[in-house]
Amino acid sequence: MYRFIFIVFLFSGLASRAQKIVLAQEERQFGRPFTKIIGRNEEGVVLVHTDNPFNNNTTQVKLEDGKAEITFYSNEMKKKWDVPVSIQGTAATIEHFVLSGKLLYIFYTVLNKEESRTELYFSSMNTSDGTYKSIGNLLEFLPYDRRKNRSDFFISNSADRKHYLTFYKITDANSGQETFNFSVYNDSLKLSYTKKFDSPESLLKWRIRDLLVDNEGNGFILGAFAPNDTENEPIKKCNILKVSLASNELLNFELYKDDKLISDVKFAADNLNKRLIVCGFYSEKTSYSSAGIIYSSIDINADSLLHNSFEPFKPKFLNEFTNERKANRGTELINYSIDNLVLRDDGGAVMLSESSYITESSNYNSYYQVYTRTYTYHYDNVLAISINPDGKTDWEGIMRKNQVSENDNAFYSSYAFYVNEDKIHFIYNRNIRRRTDLVNFSISRKGVISERIVPIGNADILLMPKGGRQISANELIIPCLNNNRPNLLKLIF
């Protein structure tokens, strides 16, 4: 029987047989509201506070006047220091944070209007005392695309923090020819290799969906054909590109080219089995509904496609969603997007996806004689679908919830999760209000489901789940409000 692979750095002296809740030293009243846990080293935990919301599940955030700060807590959850994020200039977009040993790397981009280019910088910080080791180191730059009003860098790190991949593409204004640019850096951010390729005709109008670098320093880009070059258009063709130090060839794996539409797709590096795992949803009709799952695996060493398949949802599974809206005469689920892939040690994976959508309404305030606009955030059920290495579904699990909030950027909605060898655990707020129950929903590697309330006594805790992170084999930290004051909750299990 397979086991789940959990990717965290392990430290000694932290084992606990019973679940325990620890609250940190309280933050000042309503400091910078958006918080993400970045990671943990031997001395403690690093997190970032900002005034602006993060981009989905990433650490990407736009800054104005440098309004963000890094905070460090000891393993006993006592604050040691906090330091403002130092950037080149007054405005930037933080693209990525990486904690590597005692160094914290902050990657950010700045638009240089004088040179008409976007510049990628990094700063490094010593987490022992919060001092900057270096500030504003220019890594790369690319011309600003005035026609599309953007120029995008993409960056990722390997699971062992020893390799960093950057990617960008440039389109020639006259010929329309696209050039793909890859760079891989070592753990000291010294350039290991760089590769540039003219895009083949088959990859014109190709939009990047995700990127990663494995523990061997191989770089991968997951992309899809986007003829209109828009974010949400239907996808009919999906590819993975690979670069490596040893080869001057751009490898292109064509995954899905069918009459079906790819509604969402995600991939992960299985460093244990030296494979690349791809999972997603497909649709027969739309870009926002799901008729079944897709699964692919690639042998990284042999550069061969091992498996590539579609599997429709079974009627029995669809019958579990009698109260949900469906598409295509009840055969497709709506508004499910992939959050994470949990790898299995046999080459399979568990795909985690959540149903979410936003509704908007306007009302006229006769007293102030203005219209007010309300955004309502709906975060509903979560699917856990375990997929075997042959692409067949092993089991499906449904975490049923109904989280609704208004004008809060869904700050308290969704879930945090942690993984051990035998189970995946989800932690979330039952309702988006004070004095709500905190729920621990778990699903075993055999698909057995259990649910219980997290014991917090008389504490008044409201979680900020999207900012949470598993920091060791038996610890999860989630930002929260405790009696309406910012805090951190550590769950030891």
Side-chain angles (χ1 to χ4, degrees):
M1 185 67 181
Y2 64 82
R3 294 183 181 273
F4 297 132
I5 302 174
F6 51 99
I7 306 172
V8 293
F9 290 100
L10 306 182
F11 302 97
S12 61
L14 296 171
S16 177
R17 295 183 179 179
Q19 192 175 84
K20 181 182 178 182
I21 298 294
V22 179
L23 286 168
Q25 176 186 63
E26 284 189 348
E27 291 278 359
R28 61 183 178 273
Q29 181 72 19
F30 295 112
R32 307 198 189 284
F34 298 98
T35 302
K36 281 264 189 180
I37 309 300
I38 302 302
R40 175 170 176 260
N41 58 25
E42 292 179 344
E43 296 179 343
V45 178
V46 177
L47 56 144
V48 59
H49 303 287
T50 79
D51 289 327
N52 300 326
F54 294 91
N55 181 16
N56 295 323
N57 290 327
T58 71
T59 54
Q60 186 185 63
V61 59
K62 292 184 180 296
L63 297 184
E64 294 180 1
D65 301 321
K67 293 181 179 178
E69 57 192 23
I70 308 297
T71 304
F72 191 86
Y73 281 82
S74 68
N75 289 318
E76 294 73 35
M77 301 293 282
K78 295 180 180 179
K79 183 192 288 188
K80 294 182 65 176
W81 52 258
D82 54 10
V83 175
V85 171
S86 184
I87 60 175
Q88 186 81 9
T90 59
T93 297
I94 293 180
E95 303 289 348
H96 200 36
F97 291 92
V98 179
L99 180 61
S100 179
K102 294 184 179 181
L103 282 182
L104 174 68
Y105 291 114
I106 306 167
F107 298 89
Y108 61 93
T109 52
V110 176
L111 175 59
N112 185 330
K113 295 181 180 180
E114 293 182 359
E115 300 290 339
S116 295
R117 68 188 196 184
T118 298
E119 299 170 338
L120 175 64
Y121 292 88
F122 78 91
S123 296
S124 59
M125 175 185 289
N126 188 330
T127 60
S128 295
D129 55 10
T131 58
Y132 278 96
K133 182 179 179 181
S134 64
I135 297 175
N137 303 279
L138 179 63
L139 268 183
E140 301 178 42
F141 60 84
L142 72 154
Y144 184 72
D145 192 334
R146 295 182 181 276
R147 295 173 306 162
K148 299 179 181 178
N149 194 34
R150 71 173 190 234
S151 52
D152 298 325
F153 274 105
F154 300 88
I155 185 166
S156 182
N157 62 274
S158 60
D160 62 5
R161 271 70 163 173
K162 292 183 178 180
H163 305 279
Y164 298 83
L165 168 68
T166 66
F167 172 82
Y168 63 90
K169 67 177 182 177
I170 298 176
T171 304
D172 186 273
N174 297 318
S175 66
Q177 175 66 53
E178 293 180 337
T179 303
F180 295 157
N181 299 265
F182 301 80
S183 296
V184 173
Y185 297 85
N186 64 18
D187 54 357
S188 299
L189 288 179
K190 302 298 182 183
L191 184 64
S192 297
Y193 67 89
T194 185
K195 306 284 183 178
K196 294 184 180 181
F197 303 95
D198 288 338
S199 168
E201 188 174 345
S202 62
L203 292 181
L204 293 178
K205 303 283 188 181
W206 190 78
R207 176 179 287 276
I208 181 173
R209 304 277 297 191
D210 203 357
L211 81 164
L212 61 81
V213 56
D214 67 13
N215 287 349
E216 305 300 320
N218 301 303
F220 301 90
I221 307 291
L222 171 65
F225 181 63
N228 299 317
D229 201 21
T230 58
E231 292 284 352
N232 298 314
E233 65 182 291
I235 299 170
K236 285 192 174 181
K237 191 164 59 174
C238 192
N239 301 65
I240 287 179
L241 306 181
K242 177 189 175 184
V243 295
S244 65
L245 175 63
S247 174
N248 290 320
E249 182 182 1
L250 177 65
L251 295 181
N252 179 11
F253 300 93
E254 290 190 349
L255 301 183
Y256 312 109
K257 47 180 184 177
D258 205 296
D259 57 348
K260 296 178 175 61
L261 303 176
I262 309 302
S263 51
D264 200 10
V265 65
K266 198 172 184 68
F267 72 162
D270 181 349
N271 291 296
L272 176 65
N273 296 297
K274 308 300 181 185
R275 294 181 182 181
L276 207 63
I277 306 298
V278 187
C279 299
F281 291 125
Y282 75 89
S283 170
E284 304 285 355
K285 295 288 185 180
T286 74
S287 63
Y288 58 84
S289 62
S290 306
I293 62 169
I294 55 180
Y295 173 86
S296 297
S297 62
I298 295 172
D299 186 318
I300 293 174
N301 291 334
D303 292 328
S304 61
L305 185 61
L306 298 176
H307 191 84
N308 197 35
S309 66
F310 296 83
E311 185 185 53
F313 292 137
K314 296 179 177 62
K316 181 180 179 181
F317 175 66
L318 291 171
N319 288 338
E320 297 287 334
F321 302 88
T322 55
N323 295 324
E324 287 193 29
R325 293 183 303 151
K326 300 187 186 73
N328 196 16
R329 299 180 180 179
T331 61
E332 301 194 16
L333 302 177
I334 294 178
N335 297 323
Y336 280 89
S337 58
I338 303 169
D339 294 330
N340 293 281
L341 299 182
V342 177
L343 299 177
R344 300 174 8 178
D345 64 4
D346 66 347
V350 180
M351 183 168 60
L352 307 181
S353 62
E354 185 173 29
S355 173
S356 64
Y357 60 97
I358 304 171
T359 55
E360 181 181 342
S361 60
S362 296
N363 294 290
Y364 183 71
N365 188 314
S366 58
Y367 182 81
Y368 291 103
Q369 297 184 352
V370 295
Y371 281 95
T372 59
R373 183 170 294 174
T374 300
Y375 294 95
T376 303
Y377 297 87
H378 306 261
Y379 277 71
D380 297 331
N381 296 340
V382 173
L383 304 182
I385 302 176
S386 184
I387 307 170
N388 291 326
D390 62 0
K392 300 296 183 182
T393 299
D394 182 20
W395 49 256
E396 302 116 337
I398 306 171
M399 182 175 79
R400 301 189 184 277
K401 62 183 181 68
N402 181 24
Q403 297 170 317
V404 181
S405 62
E406 293 183 350
N407 296 332
D408 66 348
N409 287 292
F411 200 31
Y412 308 102
S413 298
S414 196
Y415 62 91
F417 77 104
Y418 63 91
V419 181
N420 57 33
E421 291 183 340
D422 298 314
K423 290 184 178 181
I424 305 172
H425 296 262
F426 303 82
I427 309 295
Y428 66 95
N429 298 309
R430 175 82 75 188
N431 300 295
I432 310 305
R433 58 174 173 78
R434 295 183 61 181
R435 300 200 177 280
T436 184
D437 287 333
L438 308 186
V439 182
N440 183 341
F441 178 96
S442 65
I443 186 163
S444 74
R445 56 194 167 119
K446 296 182 179 180
V448 178
I449 288 171
S450 62
E451 180 179 302
R452 62 190 180 87
I453 303 301
V454 178
I456 57 174
N458 295 322
D460 177 10
I461 294 174
L462 185 63
L463 301 176
M464 306 170 189
K466 292 181 183 179
R469 188 182 186 94
Q470 182 173 359
I471 60 166
S472 75
N474 67 334
E475 292 177 300
L476 171 71
I477 294 185
I478 310 173
C480 69
L481 294 181
N482 179 30
N483 293 317
N484 214 32
R485 293 177 65 87
N487 207 310
L488 297 175
L489 180 146
K490 178 161 71 171
L491 180 65
I492 304 172
F493 43 92

